[in-house]
Amino acid sequence: MPENNTKAHQRIDSLRAQLHEHNHRYYILDQPEIPDAEYDRLLQELLALETDYPEYFDPNSPSQRVGSPVLDQFATVTHELPMLSLGNVFTEEEALAFDQRLKDRLDDEQEITYVCEPKLDGIAVSILYEKGRFARAATRGDGSQGEDISANVRTIPAVPLSLHNGWPERLEVRGEIFMPLAGFESYNKQALARGEKPFINPRNAAAGSLRQLDSKVTAQRPLDMYCYAIGVISGGPVLTSQFAALQYLASLGFKLNSEVERATGIHGCLAYYQRLQRRRADLGYEIDGVVYKVDDFERQRLLGSISRSPRWASAHKFPAQEEMTQLLAVEFQVGRTGAITPVARLEPVFVGGVTVSNATLHNMDEIERLDVRTGDTVIVRRAGDVIPQVVAVVESRRPAAAETIKPPGKCPVCGSPVSRDEGAAVYRCSGGLVCSAQRKESLKHFASRKAMDIDGLGDKLVEQLVERELVTTPADLYGLTVEQLASLDRMAEKSASNLSEAIQASKQTSLPRFLYALGIREVGEATALSLANEFADLDALLGASVERLEEINDIGPVVAHFVHEFFANPDNLQVIQSLQDAGVCWPTRQAELRSTQAAQPLAGQSVVLTGSLDTMTRDQAAQKLQNLGAKVVASVSGKTSFVVAGEKAGSKLVKAEALGITVLDEAGLLALLDREDS
Ligand code: 9MJ
């Protein structure tokens, strides 16, 4: 071999090793060591060398993450060990019965140690490594045979192509490929902007992305993976438990879910279920339950499997987030800014833990895109606290009498003409404060918690106040007497006087709250805060030109236009004047900032809580930390300021230690709270 070829080969190997390592630090440990630009430079150098020296092609090169040649079809793969599926339990009773069955079979009443894992709602895969190198990836298929999706899986950054030292001769890793929610939402937004069909849910998005014959398409999709089991293994260490197996996988460079915990007995598992269910909406990816696995491998072996499911594991499912129901009618609601939103009236259905009878259809474009018609059977989705949505139509169930839905010709509430926003899908009522719907919604917004925070002034009361013409603008709220309030339906004397006090108390507010409460189009909490920070007082803001507004960070031309337009309207200025005349006031921003900084010594710090505490619950600890300005987050990363580890802290503690992050025990936390509270 000529000398420069040897040199090139050595450099290629070195670049590949460096890029594998940086990839691991970035995607698995969440702790990059070099800037993105340097990573790109190394990758470009590798790509250039690989072009010049095609004889050193390697399908597992970090350069191959971009995808490989298009396939005609997927080859069939026979799994050496069948890929089992999980049995399910849906209730606490069923979980208790599952645990009792295991104890009976083992003829041992001692509490079983379980490993509890989130049940990811993605696509199960098997990935085979030979001599520490990615050899093949396959779908689960029917459990005995799946499809070879190696080219697609290779593009996923969380899947190592080359393992860290300590790899066994052969290793089959099993896990779940999924699309994180942030990726799913941004992908769908872009798909809509390109005029393409969005995915119904993250699971379909992951499945659709893995089904591509062109892996360059898969490479563009934001996929991720967590590993949860070992299939075939030869030549590795002796592993005696699920927990040890997971730690071993992490040591080889695989990504483990940081929520995985060991639990004692089924009651430990049920506590985990409750904890995870509360956190479900904050995880950043979809789970449809949790999985309980007997930790000890010897016990797993004794328990064995029935048909296609292991006896030693069970999925404890959360209530479903998607269900089918019938669309009874579509009604149009008018919002605070006149935007007209179609709302689906549904045959009530239990989904996402509540009974849903209404769902948003967003706008007319969405109705057209879904081609949804009255009478259709639709799929309704409610994830976390998100408003229920109609995500698809089951066309095969469309009745002959299904009717298409037409846009409103006039405002359904006040009859004013409607206009369509230029270049947008929104129809808008032109009635302004003439429209009682807009009046009601503006007042609800004004009174809401993040605005003027008028305790006890709920939606139903606002509706009555507007219908009885006691209130037209927000300023009228401050002139209401206790007698007027007491005259409202379902309003006792005592509640009326409490509400009157709450209305009076709301006069002491802050400038950001006041600006947010005004309900200026496109001005949410964050923009209101930026405006308040930028101008010394309200008068300075009122006099600001569009150009001056556009200079502010985060404020673009559209928002600047809406803000300027709002303050140029004499009716709005009149309302602002009346509010101030009624006594609505706020401290100067400087004074306010001084007092919050003093009270928030942990502002800007990101904290993770793990394990259980003796003197308080984790929620209480989180509340105390948040009161001091800290942000409490779910998972440990390079950005974590410190970790509070109680009893039985699991993988988060391991990760924190691996990343060299400060760890406080309970005594340390108490000392910190004590110090900062005083
Ligand atoms: C999921 N879907 O997250 C298993 N799974 O274990 C976890 N699935 C599984 N484990 C054995 N965490 C068969 C399937």
Side-chain angles (χ1 to χ4, degrees):
M1 195 182 293
E3 197 193 332
N4 63 343
N5 270 26
T6 320
K7 270 214 176 122
H9 198 180
Q10 279 169 354
R11 182 67 186 152
I12 286 173
D13 278 349
S14 157
L15 285 166
R16 284 176 180 164
Q18 289 179 59
L19 287 162
H20 279 313
E21 187 49 34
H22 291 308
N23 206 45
H24 177 253
R25 282 178 162 275
Y26 187 92
Y27 289 104
I28 314 283
L29 301 180
D30 198 8
Q31 196 192 31
E33 192 186 47
I34 56 170
D36 292 356
E38 175 64 6
Y39 181 94
D40 286 341
R41 203 189 58 76
L42 295 173
L43 183 61
Q44 291 309 321
E45 185 186 347
L46 176 63
L47 286 169
L49 282 169
E50 286 182 343
T51 310
D52 290 347
Y53 298 91
E55 60 271 39
Y56 302 133
F57 172 78
D58 176 356
N60 292 329
S61 168
S63 63
Q64 298 303 302
R65 299 266 191 208
V66 294
S68 27
V70 181
L71 305 174
D72 295 332
Q73 58 174 46
F74 296 119
T76 300
V77 167
T78 301
H79 299 296
E80 285 174 55
L81 292 174
M83 283 186 81
L84 301 174
S85 56
L86 294 167
N88 290 321
V89 298
F90 293 91
T91 62
E92 213 167 287
E93 290 69 42
E94 288 172 5
L96 292 169
F98 156 77
D99 177 62
Q100 192 55 52
R101 272 199 310 278
L102 302 195
K103 286 178 174 164
D104 291 348
R105 270 204 166 253
L106 293 166
D107 199 16
D108 186 349
E109 278 302 308
Q110 273 196 49
E111 292 299 0
I112 297 172
T113 301
Y114 290 98
V115 170
C116 301
E117 304 173 3
K119 184 172 185 299
L120 296 152
D121 201 8
I123 305 299
V125 288
S126 143
I127 312 182
L128 185 66
Y129 289 82
E130 284 170 347
K131 295 194 172 20
R133 291 166 51 79
F134 179 105
R136 188 197 69 198
T139 59
R140 180 175 172 279
D142 63 4
S144 28
Q145 287 193 322
E147 287 178 320
D148 185 331
I149 52 166
S150 305
N152 291 339
V153 173
R154 244 193 214 108
T155 67
I156 301 172
V159 174
L161 299 177
S162 164
L163 301 184
H164 289 178
N165 285 342
W167 42 262
E169 192 61 19
R170 289 183 89 231
L171 172 71
E172 183 208 356
V173 173
R174 294 175 176 184
E176 203 85 357
I177 292 176
F178 61 97
M179 192 177 281
L181 289 170
F184 169 72
E185 278 151 23
S186 72
Y187 178 83
N188 267 0
K189 217 181 245 171
Q190 289 165 17
L192 280 169
R194 287 193 298 262
E196 292 168 15
K197 230 177 136 130
F199 285 114
I200 292 177
N201 57 38
R203 186 179 189 283
N204 285 25
S209 303
L210 288 176
R211 223 181 285 119
Q212 298 293 330
L213 289 166
D214 182 356
S215 54
K216 291 188 184 63
V217 175
T218 313
Q220 302 300 318
R221 303 280 169 87
L223 297 175
D224 202 344
M225 169 165 177
Y226 285 123
C227 298
Y228 51 67
I230 293 177
V232 176
I233 179 165
S234 58
V238 178
L239 297 168
T240 59
S241 73
Q242 168 70 3
F243 205 70
L246 293 179
Q247 305 306 316
Y248 175 57
L249 289 177
S251 77
L252 295 179
F254 290 100
K255 186 161 171 175
L256 299 189
N257 189 297
S258 60
E259 305 298 329
V260 173
E261 286 178 24
R262 255 185 179 137
T264 306
I266 194 68
H267 290 286
C269 296
L270 292 172
Y272 177 85
Y273 175 92
Q274 296 296 344
R275 268 201 310 280
L276 224 62
Q277 190 169 31
R278 281 197 296 275
R279 301 246 325 277
R280 184 180 190 183
D282 305 323
L283 292 175
Y285 47 84
E286 291 238 302
I287 62 174
D288 58 351
V290 297
V291 186
Y292 309 140
K293 296 177 179 172
V294 171
D295 189 30
D296 181 39
F297 279 169
E298 176 57 17
R299 291 185 150 198
Q300 287 190 2
R301 195 188 58 77
L302 286 170
L303 289 163
S305 304
I306 17 165
S307 65
R308 300 198 160 272
S309 311
R311 279 204 191 83
W312 45 263
S314 183
H316 189 171
K317 300 290 275 289
F318 292 146
Q321 292 190 320
E322 278 180 14
E323 287 291 353
M324 260 180 351
T325 190
Q326 206 193 3
L327 175 66
L328 303 175
V330 172
E331 287 172 16
F332 292 96
Q333 272 182 357
V334 183
R336 173 164 65 80
T337 60
I340 299 179
T341 308
V343 177
R345 303 283 175 226
L346 304 165
E347 183 64 40
V349 61
F350 190 73
V351 55
V354 298
T355 301
V356 166
S357 42
N358 302 314
T360 180
L361 281 163
H362 300 288
N363 53 47
M364 285 312 295
D365 279 7
E366 179 73 354
I367 289 178
E368 254 172 53
R369 185 184 70 73
L370 291 167
D371 184 24
V372 60
R373 305 181 195 179
T374 312
D376 266 339
T377 295
V378 294
I379 297 174
V380 179
R381 177 176 173 79
R382 180 185 179 272
D385 295 334
V386 179
I387 303 166
Q389 299 189 41
V390 172
V391 291
V393 172
V394 185
E395 267 179 47
S396 59
R397 301 204 181 183
R398 172 165 288 162
E403 278 181 46
T404 54
I405 298 154
K406 291 184 191 62
K410 55 184 185 349
C411 172
V413 176
C414 71
S416 298
V418 297
S419 61
R420 190 168 179 157
D421 283 7
E422 210 172 304
V426 180
Y427 285 78
R428 214 173 274 279
C429 160
S430 61
L433 286 183
V434 168
C435 178
S436 67
Q438 290 188 50
R439 285 204 304 275
K440 286 177 186 169
E441 295 310 312
S442 324
L443 284 162
K444 288 178 194 170
H445 174 78
F446 183 83
S448 64
R449 201 170 49 76
K450 292 175 178 169
M452 300 299 279
D453 193 19
I454 305 180
D455 202 21
L457 186 55
D459 291 359
K460 289 276 175 296
L461 286 179
V462 169
E463 283 164 23
Q464 281 191 63
L465 289 169
V466 171
E467 279 157 22
R468 298 189 187 192
E469 298 185 354
L470 289 169
V471 171
T472 308
T473 78
D476 300 335
L477 288 172
Y478 294 99
L480 287 171
T481 61
V482 176
E483 292 69 41
Q484 282 174 319
L485 290 170
S487 75
L488 300 175
D489 293 346
R490 280 174 294 167
M491 185 59 113
E493 191 74 39
K494 180 75 188 140
S495 330
S497 111
N498 286 346
L499 177 56
S500 176
E501 276 174 30
I503 292 174
Q504 297 310 315
S506 75
K507 287 179 184 173
Q508 310 288 330
T509 187
S510 68
L511 183 56
R513 276 183 179 274
F514 181 75
L515 293 176
Y516 174 66
L518 292 175
I520 306 167
R521 258 177 86 183
E522 300 294 332
V523 175
E525 269 181 291
T527 307
L529 188 62
S530 302
L531 289 170
N533 283 337
E534 189 71 20
F535 296 95
D537 55 33
L538 183 61
D539 285 341
L541 169 59
L542 294 187
S545 65
V546 174
E547 294 73 27
R548 173 73 187 90
L549 292 165
E550 275 188 50
E551 282 169 12
I552 304 170
N553 251 353
D554 308 329
I555 295 189
V558 174
V559 179
H561 164 76
F562 286 136
V563 172
H564 188 261
E565 185 180 62
F566 186 92
F567 292 129
N569 179 331
D571 291 341
N572 292 335
L573 294 178
Q574 180 57 51
V575 170
I576 291 172
Q577 189 58 55
S578 310
L579 285 167
Q580 289 186 297
D581 291 347
V584 172
C585 61
W586 48 85
T588 65
R589 277 300 280 162
Q590 285 82 347
E592 198 187 345
L593 287 173
R594 267 198 306 279
S595 74
T596 53
Q597 267 161 8
Q600 304 231 302
L602 300 184
Q605 304 218 26
S606 165
V607 183
V608 174
L609 294 170
T610 178
S612 56
L613 302 169
D614 282 340
T615 57
M616 62 187 109
T617 64
R618 277 226 298 256
D619 284 346
Q620 287 167 334
Q623 188 61 58
K624 285 177 197 281
L625 288 163
Q626 280 163 353
N627 289 346
L628 295 173
K631 193 168 152 204
V632 178
V633 298
S635 54
V636 178
S637 76
K639 297 181 202 109
T640 306
S641 311
F642 62 91
V643 171
V644 176
E647 285 293 304
K648 296 217 182 103
S651 51
K652 289 185 200 179
L653 175 57
V654 175
K655 188 165 178 189
E657 284 171 347
L659 295 178
I661 288 166
T662 304
V663 177
L664 296 185
D665 60 5
E666 184 159 2
L669 171 68
L670 292 173
L672 173 81
L673 294 175
D674 218 28
R675 196 165 61 238
E676 301 298 4
D677 241 1
S678 52

